[in-house]
Amino acid sequence: GYRSEEFMADAGLLYNIIHTDDQDLLRHHVEEFHKLTANTTGEIEFRIVDRSNKEHWIVHLCQPVYDSKGHFLGRCSSNRDITERKHSEMLLLESEERYRVSVEHSNDGVVIVKGDQHIYLNQKFIDIFGYENSDDIIGKSPYIVVHPDDREMVLEYNRKRQNGEPVPSKYEFKGIKKDGTTLFIEVSAATITYNGEPVSLAYLRDIT
């Protein structure tokens, strides 16, 4: 919202438009990173407030400049408006938080299985199978909660689902609690992408 001549005439203008919450961040960047004269670059993100009092997110890239003889002359800074990206990230974080809360408070056990290992489960899953905490289950095979009679079936369904092969989205299996008690579980499962890889997302309900 300012003309280039205004920045040229007032060396402090760039700092005056920095959001008050981010001024210390930029000041630290200038004081610490600008001491370096090595061939390194630095990047930070901060907010500015434009002439119309509108807030923008900026990614600031700082690079050293040398003359033809290799003498350090100073630093060249480029600033790119990333406001739309930051808003999208915030919306995504809010969405993820809502999903996390809903999963954690679900009446069903929720588990994510990658390959042949549990990588996520909610509190209800822990309660259903009588464990004290997730450390007893995370990183272990699904067979830990499946009765020996049904292990082959459950592991085959899980493998085929992650490989994109057709398997039932709903089925039942005989489960086993930590203390050895048998129970009956109804499963609703689907394939999702997690960190760029196919995994199984399953909702389990105790129907004993």
Side-chain angles (χ1 to χ4, degrees), residues 5-151:
E5 291 82 3
E6 293 178 89
F7 285 101
M8 296 293 287
D10 181 2
L13 180 55
L14 176 61
Y15 298 95
N16 292 336
I17 64 174
I18 305 299
H19 192 287
T20 54
D21 291 345
D22 294 341
Q23 288 177 355
D24 287 343
L25 175 69
L26 185 65
R27 187 176 297 110
H28 177 76
H29 168 77
V30 172
E31 291 174 353
E32 297 300 321
F33 190 81
H34 284 207
K35 293 176 183 177
L36 303 176
T37 58
N39 188 26
T40 55
T41 61
E43 184 176 303
I44 60 171
E45 295 178 3
F46 56 84
R47 289 162 294 176
I48 64 169
V49 179
D50 69 17
R51 176 165 255 151
S52 61
N53 209 35
K54 184 178 179 181
E55 191 176 292
H56 299 264
W57 273 97
I58 298 295
V59 60
H60 169 89
L61 178 65
C62 197
Q63 303 177 86
V65 178
Y66 301 90
D67 65 16
S68 59
K69 296 182 179 180
H71 297 136
F72 178 73
L73 300 178
R75 293 193 172 271
C76 174
S77 298
S78 59
N79 302 283
R80 181 159 44 90
D81 191 329
I82 57 169
T83 305
E84 289 189 13
R85 191 193 83 189
K86 294 296 287 189
H87 285 170
S88 296
E89 290 174 355
M90 290 179 204
L91 289 173
L92 180 60
L93 287 173
E94 290 175 3
S95 176
E96 290 175 343
E97 178 63 12
R98 287 195 297 269
Y99 179 72
R100 186 192 66 79
V101 171
S102 65
V103 166
E104 287 299 328
H105 292 84
S106 173
N107 287 324
D108 291 333
V110 181
V111 62
I112 295 177
V113 178
K114 177 183 176 183
D116 189 28
Q117 290 186 339
H118 293 116
I119 61 172
Y120 169 81
L121 45 92
N122 69 349
Q123 184 61 45
K124 186 64 176 180
F125 185 97
I126 297 171
D127 296 341
I128 288 175
F129 293 101
Y131 286 85
E132 295 179 3
N133 57 64
S134 62
D135 293 339
D136 296 325
I137 308 173
I138 290 291
K140 297 179 181 176
S141 173
Y143 75 72
I144 193 175
V145 295
V146 181
H147 192 278
D149 293 349
D150 288 341
R151 282 177 182 169

Side-chain angles (χ1 to χ4, degrees), residues 160-165 167 189-193 197-201:
K160 287 185 174 180
R161 182 178 300 106
Q162 294 186 57
N163 287 336
E165 301 176 47
V167 290
T191 303
I192 64 170
T193 300
E197 297 182 86
V199 297
S200 292
L201 170 66

